[in-house]
Structure formats: C-alpha cells, structure tokens
Amino acid sequence: MAKYLLLKHYRGAPAPVNDVPMEKWTPEEISAHMRYMSDFAARLEKTGEFVDAQALAPEGMFVRYDGEGRPPVTDGPFPETKDLIAGWMVIDVDSRERALELAGELSAAPGAGGEPIHEWLEVRPFLTAPPTVTE
Amino acid sequence: MTPNPTPAVDEALIRGLVPGVLGALVRRGADFAAAEDAVQDALVEAIRVWPTHPPREPKGWLITVAWRRFLDATRADATRRRREELIAEEPGPGPVSGADDTLWLYFLCAHPSLSPSSAVALTLRAVGGLSTRQIARAYLVPEATMAQRISRAKRTVSGARFDRPGDVATVLRVLYLIFNEGYSGEVDLAAEAIRLTRRLAATIDHPEPAGLLALMLLHHARRAARTTADGGLVPLAEQDRSRWDTELIAEGVGILQAALARDRLGEFQAQAAIAALHADAPSVGETDWVQIVEWYDELVRLTDSPIVRLNRAVAVGEADGPRAGLAALAELDDSLPRYAAVAAHLHERDGDLATAVRLYAEAARKATNLAERDHLTRRAARLNNRRGR
C-alpha cells in the first residue's frame, strides 16, 4: 500500500523513442492516444489502484515573496531549457514493482503512426505516515 | 431552534455484531459478496432508525433486516436473469455459532489469494463493519477506487473453501498492517486493529493472536508520548514516560505473560516481549538491553528478517556499547531501509559526530516517511550546531 506519482513532462525528460510532436499526428492518432489514457485510468479505477490524474497548462510562472507590504514578484514563463510538467497520475499500489509496471504501460500510449511513444515517465514514491512499531 | 437531541447510536457496538450477522446470512445460503452488501445496508438502516426506535434484540434485528435486503437484491438480480426459482424461502432464525462465524470471516478476508491492500480493505469492511467511504478516507483514496478494490476482493474470495483451518499467520499479518501502517484520519485505525485483534484472540485458541494484541496494546500505550504538539516524532529514548498509558501497559503485559506461559513462541510474542521490556523501564537508562538483545536473537531465529537484524544492532549498541553495535551493523546489507539512520545513531553514541552528521543527512534523504525525515534532519542540524560552537 504505497502511493506513487507518475509524472509526465512537456520538457525535461529524456527524448522518447517515437518522438513526433502531437500537432504532427493525424487527428485519429490523437483520439487513439486520448482514448488509451482514459481507458488506462478507468482500468486502474477497476483494479482499485487509481487515486488522481490531472493535466497542467504549459503556461506558468515563478512567484516569490518580495518583503513586507510588497506584491509578490513573478518571473517567467520558463525558458525553454527548464523542466516542465505536463500532468500526473497518482496510483495506490501494493509494491514498487507494480508502480513500475503501470508506468511502463502508461508510457506505451500510442503516438504517431499508432506506435507506442515510449515516453519517459518520472515515478516518485510519496512519503508515507510513520509506522507505529519501529523497534 | 435546536432540534431535539437524538441519542447517538454506539457505532462500535453495532459493528461488533457484524461478523455474527454476516455469518448467519451465509449459513442461510446467501453468497458472501451479496450477504456482505446486505449487512452494510442493514448497518446504515440501524444507524438511522435505532436512535428513535432502539431494538430489543440488536443482532436479531440486524439479521432480519439484512436478510430482507439480501432477498430484495437477489430478487432484483434474479428477475434480471430470470432465475426466480433460486430464491430461498425465508427460514426461521436458527442457532448461531458466533465463534465459528467470526473465525471463518477473518480467514476469508485475509485469504492468501488477496493482495495486502485488498485483504486490509475487505477485513475493515466485512469484519470491522466500516463503510467503504470511511475506509477510503482512512487510506486517502477516492471512494470509487476503494469500492472497486473491495468488490474485486469479494469476487476473489467468493469461491474460497475452508475445509481445513487456514494459517492464522495470514490473518495476523493483515491486522498488523492495519495497526502499523494506518494513516491518521477520522477512523482510528490503530484502535480498530486492536478491537479486531482482541476479538480474534478471544475466539481462537492460539498464543500468537494474544502476542499481537499485547504488542498493539504496548505500542498504543505510548501514543500520547510519541508525537510533539506540532506532529513531530519523539523517539522512544526521549519520550515522556509519565504520559504512557499504564492501564494499557498492564493489560498488554498480562496478556503477553499468559501467552508466553503456553510455550509456543512466535514472532509477535517476541516483539511484544521487547515492547514490554521498554514499558517496564522507568527511564531509558534503566532499560534492560541485555534481555532485549536476547529477544532479538529469538526474533532472528523465528523470522530471519534483515529488518530485525538491523533493530538488533541498535539494541546491541545499547547493551554492549556503540562499537559492538557498529560491528553487528557491519554484517548487514547497507541498502536496508533505515540502515543509515541506525549507523548515524551508533556513530553519534561513539562520539564520531562528523560521521554521524553526514549519515543523519543521508538517512533523511532516504527516509520513506515525512515525520522520520524531519526528525533525522533536526538530528543532523542539532549535531552541526553543537560542533559549530
């Protein structure tokens, strides 16, 4: 019973095998991709492993405190070189192996030519609550 | 404008009736999955109705309502499938062997074909009588996900046969998971685990359920002392022992002694013995570490677990000095979880603060839970400040 975050990057992850930008796919290939993603989430709900999935807009900025009584300072949008998160899925699984297996399946979502994208997903375990028995 | 106060129903009392009610339905011929749904419906109904119309015989009331719900559901189902002939006549209430029902249910919900998370969820619902919503909130997953996890688990065990008694160890592992890895939330999972283990220990003639119950009680006794007001972790050595619950300790020790007297040692009895020795020490300096090491030796023999060996190294460090602890540690794989934390502690005790600081920082990076990470970071910071002065 452990939660993992599967992070999908717009930028910052290594290049996928099937590296064609989405606007160059056919509309049918885009639909097939979207269907794969929603089927994947639906399947995880059925297995009792789904927690959350969200997509993020690419537009964003850095914000920081700028001292008492002053408005926060903003910076951005990010330069091209920066890591950029596209979205995530949170899963609740019995083992690390299962988390990796599911990330592998998600990475196989079809892209250009209907072929798997082989996209690199970042898998991050959640920090848990502390166990009661430690000695 | 205040409405008439309605007396609240004692939910724990109602939930205590669940195994008997579910067992009665199954013995009347209901299949487990449908019977379990019907019992949940009856619980909801009881919580709604009992405050104004308390039943004379709560368990009988629940069996009657649950059986009706089961028949209604079966009828609806059967109509869909045109299988009306399968509907059973409503039998009169037969004699109920509560103990057998309870045991059967524990074993079913901890069936080896279930994954740990499924067994935990099914046990909390079918034995504990918690609602899917409560279980979902306790484990921080959506209710729909938990509902699917539970119904899959029910399908998985629906064909299970229990001609032979199962291995009680599978049940104990599930109860231990509920106790040890429970999240904090509106449902007190530690208390629920204790309630379920207490019932199991009262039902089955075996010292290990008693050992697990003692272990839980002895750790639960420290609950108030285990965290600071702002949620920080207080390690055993630094806990204010006056805040330990002496009643729980006395109960745990009593249960453990009775179990040990039966001379069938198991891992939970040995773990409880270690907890009891800690509970017995008025201050950390008066801890009987030599005896604790002996119990760890028993645990190593029983489990051969690397985690146990790691904890044993800590105890050796206390009993025979930090060098001896480090020597015990050196025999273990340094990729074990908490290895760096243990090494840091032993080096600190040995006076090698530079190494301790480095290892505390490393251990903090490797910690798998937030409270422990914060604790280890503070530890590193404290040593850094001391060295800096």
Side-chain angles (χ1 to χ4, degrees):
Chain A
M1 285 176 285
K3 291 193 179 66
Y4 286 84
L5 177 69
L6 312 186
L7 267 183
K8 197 178 157 76
H9 293 248
Y10 282 123
R11 287 198 299 267
V17 173
N18 185 3
D19 192 10
V20 181
M22 213 175 211
E23 65 270 19
K24 295 189 178 163
W25 302 1
T26 67
E28 293 73 27
E29 284 164 359
I30 294 174
S31 299
H33 178 81
M34 297 308 175
R35 197 161 51 243
Y36 185 96
M37 302 299 277
S38 62
D39 286 354
F40 183 80
R43 189 154 55 82
L44 285 197
E45 194 159 292
K46 281 219 170 61
T47 58
E49 295 173 310
F50 178 83
V51 179
D52 185 35
Q54 299 291 337
L56 296 173
E59 292 304 313
M61 62 187 74
F62 282 112
V63 182
R64 72 161 172 82
Y65 176 63
D66 198 38
E68 190 66 45
R70 300 161 67 110
V73 183
T74 61
D75 195 10
F78 314 123
E80 281 294 316
T81 53
K82 281 272 163 51
D83 187 79
L84 185 55
I85 305 298
W88 69 76
M89 186 174 285
V90 177
I91 56 177
D92 188 37
V93 291
D94 274 300
S95 67
R96 180 174 176 277
E97 289 66 34
R98 177 65 177 158
L100 297 185
E101 179 187 8
L102 290 174
E105 284 179 32
L106 189 58
S107 161
E115 294 299 313
I117 304 175
H118 298 269
E119 181 179 24
W120 289 95
L121 296 174
E122 192 178 346
V123 179
R124 303 275 302 272
F126 278 41
L127 290 178
T128 65
T132 308
V133 181
T134 50
E135 82 259 358
Chain B
M1 285 298 287
T2 30
N4 283 338
T6 330
V9 177
D10 184 347
E11 265 196 57
L13 181 125
I14 300 186
R15 294 198 285 108
L17 299 171
V18 164
V21 175
L22 186 45
L25 260 63
V26 170
R27 232 121 40 71
R28 286 181 183 186
D31 74 282
F32 169 69
E36 205 279 326
D37 283 334
V39 172
Q40 282 277 333
D41 286 348
L43 290 179
V44 171
E45 188 69 2
I47 288 165
R48 193 176 68 80
V49 170
W50 288 10
T52 46
H53 298 88
R56 266 205 318 239
E57 220 279 275
K59 186 176 170 185
W61 189 99
L62 283 172
I63 291 175
T64 304
V65 171
W67 183 250
R68 271 189 215 131
R69 292 297 173 109
F70 165 72
L71 287 182
D72 290 348
T74 311
R75 264 183 208 115
D77 206 32
T79 308
R80 267 202 308 280
R81 298 186 205 168
R82 299 191 180 131
R83 287 197 288 123
E84 283 94 339
E85 70 275 13
L86 288 184
I87 299 166
E89 284 294 299
E90 182 168 351
V96 171
S97 154
D100 289 352
D101 288 340
T102 303
L103 267 192
W104 166 79
L105 204 51
Y106 275 98
F107 280 107
L108 187 68
C109 295
H111 197 272
S113 61
L114 295 171
S115 69
S117 56
S118 303
V120 161
L122 189 59
T123 297
L124 286 171
R125 197 174 125 128
V127 191
L130 291 175
S131 70
T132 300
R133 184 191 185 81
Q134 287 173 310
I135 302 166
R137 285 196 180 171
Y139 288 102
L140 308 172
V141 300
E143 193 176 341
T145 294
M146 190 52 80
Q148 292 289 353
R149 193 180 290 177
I150 290 169
S151 60
R152 266 173 81 92
K154 286 208 258 182
R155 280 200 301 278
T156 303
V157 300
S158 61
R161 285 281 163 269
F162 285 94
D163 308 327
R164 291 167 296 152
D167 182 0
V168 73
T170 60
V171 178
L172 299 181
R173 267 194 292 277
V174 171
L175 296 174
Y176 181 80
L177 269 182
I178 296 172
F179 180 78
N180 200 36
E181 292 180 12
Y183 296 99
S184 47
E186 68 186 79
V187 176
D188 186 342
L189 287 174
E192 185 65 14
I194 288 172
R195 186 178 77 80
L196 294 176
T197 308
R198 193 187 289 284
R199 178 160 195 165
L200 178 70
T203 310
I204 193 168
D205 187 31
H206 193 296
E208 271 292 88
L212 178 60
L213 176 59
L215 176 69
M216 288 177 177
L217 293 171
L218 289 163
H219 279 277
H220 205 53
R222 299 184 204 155
R223 176 135 89 164
R226 205 157 44 215
T227 46
T228 59
D230 55 5
L233 213 58
V234 184
L236 177 60
E238 292 164 25
Q239 287 175 15
D240 174 0
R241 296 180 179 219
S242 70
R243 299 182 68 200
W244 287 0
D245 186 327
T246 49
E247 266 180 47
L248 285 181
I249 290 173
E251 190 192 354
V253 168
I255 290 168
L256 174 64
Q257 281 171 343
L260 289 174
R262 302 183 57 180
D263 213 18
R264 277 172 72 194
L265 189 61
E267 62 172 301
F268 289 118
Q269 293 169 76
Q271 278 197 62
I274 291 166
L277 285 166
H278 286 302
D280 201 36
S283 70
V284 65
E286 292 163 90
T287 308
D288 187 347
W289 288 106
V290 174
Q291 238 201 104
I292 288 177
V293 171
E294 287 170 11
W295 279 111
Y296 273 119
D297 291 338
E298 288 286 358
L299 261 180
V300 167
R301 190 178 57 75
L302 288 164
T303 65
D304 197 30
S305 144
I307 305 290
V308 167
R309 287 178 198 273
L310 189 68
N311 290 332
R312 181 182 171 278
V314 177
V316 169
E318 299 294 336
D320 304 328
R323 292 287 165 87
L326 285 166
L329 192 64
E331 294 168 13
L332 305 179
D333 181 352
D334 64 6
S335 69
L336 278 172
R338 299 190 66 249
Y339 182 98
V342 170
H345 173 72
L346 289 168
H347 281 291
E348 180 186 356
R349 296 254 345 251
D350 193 36
D352 182 356
L353 299 192
T355 305
V357 163
R358 183 177 56 74
L359 288 170
Y360 276 129
E362 181 190 330
R365 282 193 300 276
K366 289 180 175 170
T368 57
N369 73 76
L370 192 56
E372 191 181 333
R373 186 184 71 183
D374 293 349
H375 168 73
L376 292 165
T377 307
R378 261 196 294 272
R379 211 83 204 182
R382 192 191 301 177
L383 287 190
N384 263 329
N385 285 322
R386 199 192 299 167
R387 290 202 311 145
R389 277 203 298 272

